[in-house]
Amino acid sequence: MFSELHPFMDYALVLAKKAELQGEVPVGAVLVYNDKIILENHNKMRQNNNPLAHAELLLLQEAYSFLKTYYLSQCSLFVTLEPCGMCATAVALSRLKAVYFGAYDPKHGGIEHGARVFDKEQNFFKPKTVVAGVRAYHCENILKNFFSYRRG
Amino acid sequence: MFSELHPFMDYALVLAKKAELQGEVPVGAVLVYNDKIILENHNKMRQNNNPLAHAELLLLQEAYSFLKTYYLSQCSLFVTLEPCGMCATAVALSRLKAVYFGAYDPKHGGIEHGARVFDKEQNFFKPKTVVAGVRAYHCENILKNFFSYRRG
């Protein structure tokens, strides 16, 4: 099932690498519409001097400027790391149809950990499809290498 | 204990009223530093054509441009409605020292409902002070009036 998702996640990994080269925590994300990548972004907390500048939130904000539509219900998000509670709720508020993420994030993740945003019974939209662990090995490795280099 | 908080929430209520006059769901928020209001905002989902344009997120994003500091650990947020999971996580990521909110939001709230962001054991910052129900009657009323008028 995963094989056809790899090209999108592979491109998100390229963006994560781009983030790393800029000294950012290496997380990349793409927005897919009609089987095509229409927008891309990566973490920019450092360069924007803003702890909210997560790849996914930047991507969604850009989408609202770019697409001129109130909801993004025809779009899917591919992101190399499990979204945090902020980004997962932003995904729900945006009514994305699907989210695919790579590495799990036990510390800050908000889908399979912590806030578990999509598991709540509250009356708001959740993506129909949520797939974890797409290209997980590569997505984790780029983060591990970044932090081990920093700590070394 | 609430009395000294009223002026800040009262001003947030003025902003909620301003939002209402612009056709927005009436929620207002202020950021307080050293006992002074330094920034203000209100919901702008409609005028920004963006379901993420919540008063609190706009306020925090503005703060990063305005204050040129990476964290907002000396600041307190006053908002007329319980923050959602997105805004509550943004508060945690921003390391605000305190959050005061007015009306409870069983449908979308992320502090006392749903994601309950600050109750999680994950290793990230939570405000030392969280006070619910400040000027709750007035904060609820402005929302009730808005929705009953819309539905009427």
Side-chain angles (χ1 to χ4, degrees), chain A residues 22-93:
Chain A
Q22 296 174 16
E24 302 284 355
V25 176
V27 177
V30 298
L31 200 66
V32 171
Y33 172 73
N34 265 355
D35 289 328
K36 287 190 184 68
I37 292 173
I38 55 164
L39 284 170
E40 58 178 70
N41 225 314
H42 59 71
N43 273 356
K44 291 183 179 165
M45 284 94 84
R46 190 171 159 164
Q47 60 198 277
N48 290 8
N49 194 42
N50 181 336
L52 312 182
H54 292 186
E56 308 95 304
L57 192 66
L58 294 173
L59 191 68
L60 295 174
Q61 295 288 21
E62 206 179 351
Y64 290 111
S65 312
F66 181 78
L67 296 176
K68 310 285 181 205
T69 169
Y70 193 74
Y71 292 122
L72 306 172
S73 43
Q74 299 306 309
C75 296
S76 301
L77 172 72
F78 287 76
V79 56
T80 57
L81 181 65
E82 180 183 350
C84 74
M86 175 182 72
C87 294
T89 310
V91 160
L93 291 167

Side-chain angles (χ1 to χ4, degrees), chain A residues 6 10 21 30 35 68 104 116 136 145-146 149:
Chain A
H6 282 176
D10 283 343
L21 293 172
V30 298
D35 289 328
K68 310 285 181 205
Y104 286 88
R116 296 181 190 275
N145 289 343
F146 176 80
Y149 175 76

Side-chain angles (χ1 to χ4, degrees), chain B residues 1-10 12-13 77-81 99-104 130-140:
Chain B
M1 180 204 173
F2 274 4
S3 59
E4 74 273 23
L5 306 174
H6 282 175
F8 299 130
M9 195 58 87
D10 283 342
L13 272 162
L77 172 72
F78 288 76
V79 55
T80 57
L81 181 65
V99 178
Y100 303 88
F101 70 83
Y104 287 88
V130 179
V131 181
V134 182
R135 287 285 205 220
Y137 175 79
H138 299 278
C139 293
E140 275 165 30

